[in-house]
Amino acid sequence: MRTRIKELREECGLTQEALAKEVDVTRQTILFMEKGKYNPSLRLAYRIAQVFKRPIEEVFSFEDEADM
């Protein structure tokens, strides 16, 4: 899974810690998602998309990097 979390977070001026508090996870969870090492639950993905006021599909992509 690819993610635009880091890009969108920086556009919004949020730190990893601030985003983590908004969606009720640890900063490490945000870090691992940004690095592509953790796939969020649908519920968490939805909460993150809501913070950025974007559809889930604009934040997360389910295609592998090898497919690109």
Side-chain angles (χ1 to χ4, degrees):
M1 177 184 299
R2 297 188 60 178
T3 177
R4 293 182 57 212
I5 293 174
K6 183 175 182 178
E7 172 190 345
L8 295 170
R9 179 179 58 74
E10 289 175 347
E11 279 180 18
C12 292
L14 291 172
T15 64
Q16 290 176 340
E17 185 69 33
L19 178 57
K21 285 181 182 179
E22 283 282 323
V23 298
D24 198 30
V25 296
T26 66
R27 185 192 63 79
Q28 289 81 4
T29 299
I30 300 298
L31 173 68
F32 288 138
M33 281 190 288
E34 288 183 354
K35 291 185 174 198
K37 296 184 180 201
Y38 178 81
N39 292 331
S41 67
L42 182 56
R43 182 175 297 208
L44 177 55
Y46 179 76
R47 288 194 320 245
I48 291 169
Q50 283 186 312
V51 169
F52 298 132
K53 297 180 175 73
R54 307 271 181 133
I56 289 175
E57 296 85 3
E58 287 186 22
V59 181
F60 299 95
S61 172
F62 293 100
E63 54 191 47
D64 289 331
E65 289 182 20
D67 293 340
M68 298 190 74

Coordinates of all heavy atoms in Angstrom, one line a residue:
M1 N 0.8 -1.2 0.0 CA 0.0 0.0 0.0 C 0.9 1.2 0.0 O 1.9 1.3 0.7 CB -0.9 0.0 1.2 CG -1.7 1.2 1.3 SD -2.7 1.4 2.8 CE -3.7 0.0 2.7
R2 N 0.5 2.2 -0.9 CA 1.2 3.5 -0.9 C 0.4 4.5 -0.1 O -0.8 4.4 -0.1 CB 1.5 3.9 -2.3 CG 2.4 2.9 -3.0 CD 2.8 3.4 -4.4 NE 3.5 4.7 -4.1 CZ 4.0 5.4 -5.1 NH1 3.9 5.1 -6.3 NH2 4.6 6.5 -4.8
T3 N 1.1 5.5 0.4 CA 0.3 6.5 1.1 C 0.9 7.9 0.9 O 2.1 8.0 0.6 CB 0.4 6.2 2.7 OG1 -0.2 7.2 3.4 CG2 1.8 6.1 3.1
R4 N 0.0 8.9 1.0 CA 0.4 10.3 0.8 C 0.4 11.0 2.2 O 0.3 12.2 2.2 CB -0.5 11.0 -0.2 CG -0.4 10.5 -1.6 CD -1.3 11.3 -2.5 NE -1.0 12.7 -2.4 CZ -2.0 13.6 -2.6 NH1 -3.2 13.3 -2.9 NH2 -1.7 14.9 -2.5
I5 N 0.4 10.2 3.3 CA 0.2 10.8 4.6 C 1.3 11.9 4.9 O 1.0 13.0 5.3 CB 0.3 9.7 5.7 CG1 -0.9 8.8 5.6 CG2 0.4 10.4 7.1 CD1 -0.9 7.7 6.6
K6 N 2.5 11.6 4.6 CA 3.6 12.5 4.9 C 3.4 13.8 4.1 O 3.5 14.9 4.7 CB 5.0 11.9 4.6 CG 6.1 12.9 5.0 CD 7.5 12.2 4.8 CE 8.6 13.2 5.2 NZ 9.9 12.6 5.1
E7 N 3.2 13.7 2.8 CA 2.9 14.8 1.9 C 1.8 15.7 2.4 O 1.9 16.9 2.6 CB 2.7 14.3 0.5 CG 2.2 15.4 -0.5 CD 1.8 14.8 -1.8 OE1 2.0 13.6 -2.0 OE2 1.1 15.5 -2.5
L8 N 0.6 15.1 2.7 CA -0.5 15.8 3.1 C -0.4 16.4 4.5 O -0.8 17.5 4.8 CB -1.8 14.9 3.1 CG -2.2 14.4 1.7 CD1 -3.2 13.3 1.8 CD2 -2.6 15.6 0.8
R9 N 0.3 15.6 5.4 CA 0.6 16.1 6.8 C 1.4 17.4 6.7 O 1.1 18.4 7.4 CB 1.3 15.0 7.6 CG 1.6 15.4 9.0 CD 2.3 14.2 9.7 NE 3.5 13.8 9.1 CZ 4.7 14.4 9.1 NH1 4.8 15.6 9.8 NH2 5.7 13.9 8.6
E10 N 2.4 17.4 5.9 CA 3.3 18.5 5.8 C 2.6 19.7 5.2 O 2.8 20.9 5.6 CB 4.6 18.2 5.0 CG 5.5 17.3 5.8 CD 6.7 16.8 5.0 OE1 6.7 17.0 3.8 OE2 7.6 16.3 5.6
E11 N 1.7 19.5 4.2 CA 0.9 20.5 3.6 C 0.0 21.2 4.6 O -0.2 22.4 4.6 CB 0.0 20.0 2.5 CG 0.7 19.8 1.1 CD -0.3 19.2 0.1 OE1 -1.5 19.3 0.3 OE2 0.2 18.7 -0.9
C12 N -0.5 20.4 5.5 CA -1.4 20.9 6.6 C -0.6 21.5 7.8 O -1.2 22.0 8.7 CB -2.3 19.8 7.1 SG -3.5 19.3 5.8
G13 N 0.7 21.4 7.8 CA 1.5 21.9 8.9 C 1.4 21.1 10.1 O 1.6 21.6 11.2
L14 N 1.1 19.8 10.0 CA 1.0 18.9 11.2 C 2.2 18.1 11.4 O 2.9 17.6 10.4 CB -0.2 17.9 10.9 CG -1.6 18.4 10.9 CD1 -2.6 17.3 10.5 CD2 -2.0 19.0 12.3
T15 N 2.6 17.9 12.6 CA 3.7 17.0 13.0 C 3.1 15.6 13.1 O 1.9 15.4 13.1 CB 4.3 17.4 14.4 OG1 3.2 17.2 15.4 CG2 4.8 18.8 14.4
Q16 N 4.0 14.6 13.1 CA 3.5 13.2 13.3 C 2.8 13.1 14.6 O 1.7 12.4 14.6 CB 4.7 12.3 13.3 CG 5.3 12.1 11.9 CD 6.6 11.2 11.9 OE1 7.2 11.0 13.0 NE2 6.9 10.7 10.8
E17 N 3.3 13.7 15.6 CA 2.6 13.7 16.9 C 1.2 14.3 16.9 O 0.3 13.7 17.5 CB 3.5 14.4 18.0 CG 3.0 14.3 19.4 CD 3.1 12.9 20.0 OE1 4.1 12.2 19.6 OE2 2.2 12.5 20.8
A18 N 1.1 15.4 16.2 CA -0.2 16.1 16.2 C -1.2 15.2 15.4 O -2.4 15.1 15.8 CB -0.1 17.5 15.5
L19 N -0.8 14.7 14.3 CA -1.7 13.8 13.5 C -2.1 12.6 14.3 O -3.2 12.1 14.4 CB -1.1 13.4 12.2 CG -1.9 12.4 11.3 CD1 -3.3 13.0 11.0 CD2 -1.1 12.1 10.1
A20 N -1.1 12.0 15.0 CA -1.3 10.8 15.8 C -2.4 11.1 16.9 O -3.3 10.3 17.1 CB 0.0 10.3 16.5
K21 N -2.3 12.3 17.5 CA -3.3 12.6 18.5 C -4.7 12.8 17.9 O -5.7 12.4 18.5 CB -2.9 13.9 19.3 CG -1.8 13.7 20.2 CD -1.4 15.0 21.0 CE -0.2 14.7 21.9 NZ 0.2 16.0 22.6
E22 N -4.8 13.4 16.7 CA -6.0 13.6 16.0 C -6.8 12.3 15.7 O -8.0 12.2 15.8 CB -5.8 14.3 14.7 CG -5.6 15.8 14.8 CD -6.8 16.6 15.0 OE1 -7.9 16.2 14.5 OE2 -6.8 17.5 15.8
V23 N -6.0 11.2 15.4 CA -6.6 10.0 15.0 C -6.4 8.9 16.1 O -6.8 7.7 15.9 CB -6.1 9.5 13.7 CG1 -6.4 10.4 12.6 CG2 -4.6 9.2 13.7
D24 N -5.9 9.3 17.3 CA -5.8 8.4 18.4 C -5.0 7.2 18.2 O -5.4 6.0 18.5 CB -7.2 8.0 18.9 CG -7.3 7.4 20.3 OD1 -6.4 7.9 21.1 OD2 -8.1 6.6 20.6
V25 N -3.7 7.4 17.7 CA -2.7 6.4 17.6 C -1.4 7.0 18.1 O -1.3 8.1 18.5 CB -2.5 5.9 16.2 CG1 -3.8 5.2 15.7 CG2 -2.1 7.0 15.2
T26 N -0.3 6.2 18.1 CA 1.0 6.6 18.5 C 1.7 7.3 17.4 O 1.4 7.1 16.2 CB 1.9 5.5 19.1 OG1 2.2 4.6 18.0 CG2 1.2 4.8 20.2
R27 N 2.7 8.1 17.7 CA 3.5 8.8 16.6 C 4.2 7.7 15.8 O 4.3 7.8 14.6 CB 4.5 9.7 17.3 CG 5.3 10.5 16.2 CD 6.5 11.2 16.8 NE 7.5 10.2 17.4 CZ 8.4 9.5 16.7 NH1 8.4 9.6 15.4 NH2 9.2 8.7 17.3
Q28 N 4.6 6.6 16.5 CA 5.3 5.5 15.7 C 4.4 4.9 14.7 O 4.8 4.5 13.6 CB 5.8 4.4 16.7 CG 6.9 4.9 17.6 CD 6.5 5.7 18.8 OE1 5.3 5.9 19.1 NE2 7.5 6.2 19.5
T29 N 3.1 4.8 15.0 CA 2.1 4.3 14.0 C 2.1 5.2 12.7 O 2.2 4.7 11.6 CB 0.7 4.2 14.6 OG1 0.8 3.3 15.7 CG2 -0.3 3.6 13.6
I30 N 2.1 6.5 12.9 CA 2.1 7.4 11.8 C 3.4 7.2 11.0 O 3.4 7.2 9.8 CB 1.9 8.9 12.3 CG1 0.6 9.1 13.0 CG2 2.1 9.8 11.1 CD1 -0.6 8.8 12.2
L31 N 4.5 7.2 11.8 CA 5.8 7.0 11.1 C 5.9 5.7 10.3 O 6.3 5.7 9.1 CB 6.9 6.9 12.2 CG 8.3 6.5 11.7 CD1 8.9 7.7 10.9 CD2 9.2 6.3 12.9
F32 N 5.4 4.6 10.8 CA 5.4 3.3 10.1 C 4.5 3.4 8.9 O 4.8 2.8 7.8 CB 5.0 2.2 11.0 CG 6.1 1.8 11.9 CD1 5.8 1.5 13.3 CD2 7.4 1.8 11.6 CE1 6.8 1.1 14.2 CE2 8.4 1.4 12.5 CZ 8.1 1.1 13.8
M33 N 3.3 4.1 9.0 CA 2.5 4.2 7.8 C 3.1 5.1 6.7 O 3.1 4.7 5.5 CB 1.1 4.8 8.2 CG 0.2 3.9 8.9 SD -1.5 4.5 9.0 CE -1.2 5.7 10.4
E34 N 3.8 6.1 7.1 CA 4.5 7.0 6.2 C 5.6 6.2 5.4 O 5.8 6.5 4.2 CB 5.1 8.2 6.8 CG 4.1 9.2 7.3 CD 4.6 10.5 7.9 OE1 5.9 10.5 8.1 OE2 3.9 11.4 8.2
K35 N 6.2 5.3 6.1 CA 7.3 4.5 5.5 C 6.8 3.3 4.7 O 7.5 2.5 4.1 CB 8.3 4.0 6.6 CG 9.1 5.2 7.1 CD 10.1 4.7 8.1 CE 11.0 5.8 8.5 NZ 12.3 5.3 9.1
G36 N 5.4 3.0 4.8 CA 4.9 1.9 4.1 C 5.1 0.6 4.8 O 4.9 -0.5 4.3
K37 N 5.3 0.6 6.2 CA 5.6 -0.6 6.9 C 4.4 -1.0 7.8 O 4.5 -2.0 8.5 CB 6.8 -0.4 7.8 CG 8.1 -0.1 7.0 CD 9.3 0.0 7.9 CE 10.5 0.2 7.0 NZ 11.7 -0.2 7.6
Y38 N 3.3 -0.2 7.7 CA 2.1 -0.6 8.4 C 0.9 -0.2 7.6 O 0.8 0.9 7.1 CB 2.1 0.2 9.8 CG 0.9 0.0 10.6 CD1 0.8 -1.2 11.4 CD2 -0.1 0.9 10.6 CE1 -0.3 -1.4 12.2 CE2 -1.3 0.7 11.4 CZ -1.4 -0.5 12.2 OH -2.5 -0.7 12.9
N39 N 0.0 -1.1 7.5 CA -1.2 -0.9 6.8 C -2.3 -0.6 7.8 O -2.6 -1.5 8.6 CB -1.6 -2.1 5.9 CG -0.7 -2.2 4.7 OD1 -0.1 -1.3 4.2 ND2 -0.6 -3.5 4.2
P40 N -3.0 0.5 7.7 CA -4.0 0.9 8.7 C -5.3 0.1 8.5 O -5.6 -0.4 7.4 CB -4.2 2.3 8.5 CG -4.0 2.5 7.0 CD -2.8 1.6 6.7
S41 N -6.1 0.0 9.6 CA -7.4 -0.6 9.4 C -8.2 0.4 8.6 O -7.9 1.5 8.4 CB -8.0 -0.7 10.8 OG -8.3 0.5 11.4
L42 N -9.3 -0.1 8.1 CA -10.2 0.8 7.3 C -10.7 2.0 8.2 O -10.7 3.1 7.7 CB -11.4 0.0 6.8 CG -12.4 0.8 5.9 CD1 -11.7 1.4 4.7 CD2 -13.5 -0.2 5.5
R43 N -11.0 1.7 9.4 CA -11.4 2.8 10.3 C -10.4 3.8 10.5 O -10.7 5.0 10.5 CB -11.8 2.1 11.7 CG -12.3 3.2 12.7 CD -12.8 2.5 13.9 NE -13.9 1.6 13.6 CZ -14.9 1.3 14.4 NH1 -14.9 1.7 15.6 NH2 -15.8 0.5 14.0
L44 N -9.1 3.4 10.7 CA -8.0 4.4 10.9 C -7.8 5.1 9.6 O -7.6 6.3 9.6 CB -6.7 3.7 11.3 CG -5.5 4.5 11.5 CD1 -5.8 5.7 12.4 CD2 -4.3 3.7 12.0
A45 N -7.8 4.4 8.5 CA -7.6 5.1 7.2 C -8.7 6.2 7.0 O -8.4 7.3 6.5 CB -7.7 4.1 6.0
Y46 N -9.9 5.9 7.3 CA -11.0 6.8 7.2 C -10.8 8.0 8.1 O -11.0 9.2 7.7 CB -12.4 6.1 7.6 CG -13.6 7.0 7.5 CD1 -14.1 7.4 6.3 CD2 -14.2 7.5 8.6 CE1 -15.2 8.2 6.2 CE2 -15.3 8.3 8.6 CZ -15.8 8.7 7.4 OH -16.9 9.5 7.3
R47 N -10.4 7.8 9.3 CA -10.1 8.9 10.3 C -9.0 9.8 9.7 O -9.1 11.1 9.8 CB -9.8 8.4 11.7 CG -11.0 7.8 12.4 CD -10.8 7.6 13.9 NE -9.5 7.1 14.2 CZ -9.2 5.9 14.8 NH1 -10.2 5.1 15.1 NH2 -8.0 5.6 15.2
I48 N -8.0 9.2 9.2 CA -6.9 10.0 8.6 C -7.3 10.8 7.4 O -7.0 12.0 7.3 CB -5.7 9.1 8.2 CG1 -5.0 8.5 9.5 CG2 -4.7 9.8 7.4 CD1 -4.0 7.4 9.2
A49 N -8.1 10.2 6.5 CA -8.7 10.9 5.4 C -9.5 12.1 5.8 O -9.5 13.2 5.2 CB -9.4 10.0 4.5
Q50 N -10.3 11.9 6.9 CA -11.1 13.0 7.4 C -10.3 14.2 7.9 O -10.7 15.3 7.7 CB -12.0 12.5 8.6 CG -13.2 11.7 8.1 CD -14.1 11.3 9.3 OE1 -13.6 10.8 10.3 NE2 -15.4 11.5 9.1
V51 N -9.2 13.9 8.6 CA -8.3 15.0 9.0 C -7.9 15.8 7.9 O -7.8 17.0 7.9 CB -7.1 14.4 9.8 CG1 -6.0 15.5 10.1 CG2 -7.5 13.8 11.1
F52 N -7.5 15.2 6.7 CA -7.1 15.9 5.6 C -8.2 16.4 4.7 O -7.9 17.0 3.7 CB -6.1 15.0 4.7 CG -4.9 14.6 5.5 CD1 -4.4 13.3 5.5 CD2 -4.1 15.5 6.2 CE1 -3.3 12.9 6.2 CE2 -3.0 15.2 6.9 CZ -2.5 13.8 6.9
K53 N -9.4 16.0 5.0 CA -10.6 16.4 4.3 C -10.5 15.9 2.8 O -10.7 16.7 1.9 CB -10.8 17.9 4.3 CG -11.2 18.4 5.7 CD -11.4 19.9 5.8 CE -11.8 20.4 7.1 NZ -10.8 20.4 8.1
R54 N -10.1 14.7 2.7 CA -9.9 14.0 1.4 C -10.5 12.7 1.4 O -10.7 12.0 2.4 CB -8.4 13.8 1.1 CG -7.5 15.0 1.2 CD -7.4 15.7 -0.1 NE -6.5 16.9 0.1 CZ -5.5 17.1 -0.8 NH1 -5.3 16.4 -1.8 NH2 -4.8 18.2 -0.6
P55 N -10.9 12.2 0.2 CA -11.4 10.8 0.1 C -10.2 9.8 0.4 O -9.1 10.2 0.2 CB -11.8 10.6 -1.4 CG -11.9 12.0 -1.9 CD -11.0 12.9 -1.1
I56 N -10.6 8.7 1.0 CA -9.5 7.7 1.3 C -8.6 7.4 0.1 O -7.4 7.3 0.2 CB -10.2 6.4 1.8 CG1 -10.8 6.6 3.2 CG2 -9.2 5.3 1.9 CD1 -11.5 5.4 3.7
E57 N -9.2 7.4 -1.1 CA -8.5 7.0 -2.3 C -7.4 8.1 -2.6 O -6.5 7.8 -3.4 CB -9.4 6.9 -3.5 CG -10.4 5.8 -3.4 CD -11.6 6.1 -2.6 OE1 -11.8 7.3 -2.2 OE2 -12.5 5.2 -2.4
E58 N -7.5 9.3 -2.1 CA -6.5 10.3 -2.3 C -5.4 10.2 -1.3 O -4.3 10.8 -1.5 CB -7.1 11.7 -2.3 CG -8.0 12.0 -3.5 CD -8.4 13.5 -3.5 OE1 -7.8 14.3 -2.8 OE2 -9.4 13.8 -4.2
V59 N -5.6 9.5 -0.3 CA -4.6 9.4 0.8 C -3.9 8.0 0.6 O -2.6 8.0 0.8 CB -5.2 9.5 2.2 CG1 -4.1 9.4 3.3 CG2 -6.0 10.8 2.3
F60 N -4.6 7.0 0.3 CA -4.0 5.6 0.2 C -4.2 5.1 -1.2 O -5.3 5.3 -1.8 CB -4.7 4.7 1.3 CG -4.5 5.2 2.7 CD1 -5.5 5.9 3.3 CD2 -3.4 4.8 3.4 CE1 -5.3 6.4 4.6 CE2 -3.2 5.2 4.7 CZ -4.2 6.0 5.3
S61 N -3.3 4.3 -1.6 CA -3.4 3.6 -2.9 C -3.0 2.1 -2.6 O -2.0 1.8 -2.0 CB -2.4 4.2 -3.9 OG -2.3 3.4 -5.1
F62 N -3.9 1.3 -3.2 CA -3.7 -0.1 -2.9 C -2.9 -0.9 -3.9 O -2.7 -2.1 -3.9 CB -5.1 -0.8 -2.7 CG -5.8 -0.3 -1.5 CD1 -6.8 0.6 -1.6 CD2 -5.4 -0.8 -0.2 CE1 -7.4 1.1 -0.5 CE2 -6.1 -0.3 0.9 CZ -7.1 0.6 0.8
E63 N -2.3 -0.1 -4.9 CA -1.4 -0.8 -5.8 C 0.0 -0.9 -5.3 O 0.4 0.0 -4.5 CB -1.4 -0.1 -7.2 CG -1.1 1.4 -7.0 CD -1.4 2.1 -8.3 OE1 -2.4 2.0 -8.9 OE2 -0.5 2.9 -8.7
D64 N 0.7 -2.0 -5.6 CA 2.0 -2.1 -5.1 C 3.0 -1.2 -5.9 O 2.7 -0.9 -7.1 CB 2.5 -3.6 -5.3 CG 1.8 -4.5 -4.3 OD1 1.5 -4.1 -3.2 OD2 1.7 -5.7 -4.7
E65 N 4.1 -0.9 -5.3 CA 5.0 0.0 -6.0 C 5.5 -0.8 -7.3 O 5.9 -0.1 -8.3 CB 6.2 0.3 -5.1 CG 5.8 1.3 -4.1 CD 6.9 1.8 -3.2 OE1 8.1 1.6 -3.6 OE2 6.7 2.3 -2.1
A66 N 5.6 -2.1 -7.3 CA 6.1 -2.9 -8.4 C 5.1 -2.7 -9.6 O 5.5 -2.9 -10.7 CB 6.2 -4.3 -8.0
D67 N 3.8 -2.4 -9.3 CA 2.8 -2.3 -10.3 C 2.9 -1.0 -11.1 O 2.3 -0.8 -12.1 CB 1.4 -2.4 -9.8 CG 1.1 -3.8 -9.2 OD1 1.8 -4.7 -9.6 OD2 0.2 -3.9 -8.4
M68 N 3.7 -0.1 -10.5 CA 3.7 1.3 -11.1 C 4.7 1.4 -12.2 O 5.6 0.8 -12.5 CB 4.0 2.3 -10.0 CG 2.9 2.3 -9.0 SD 3.1 3.7 -7.9 CE 2.5 5.0 -8.9

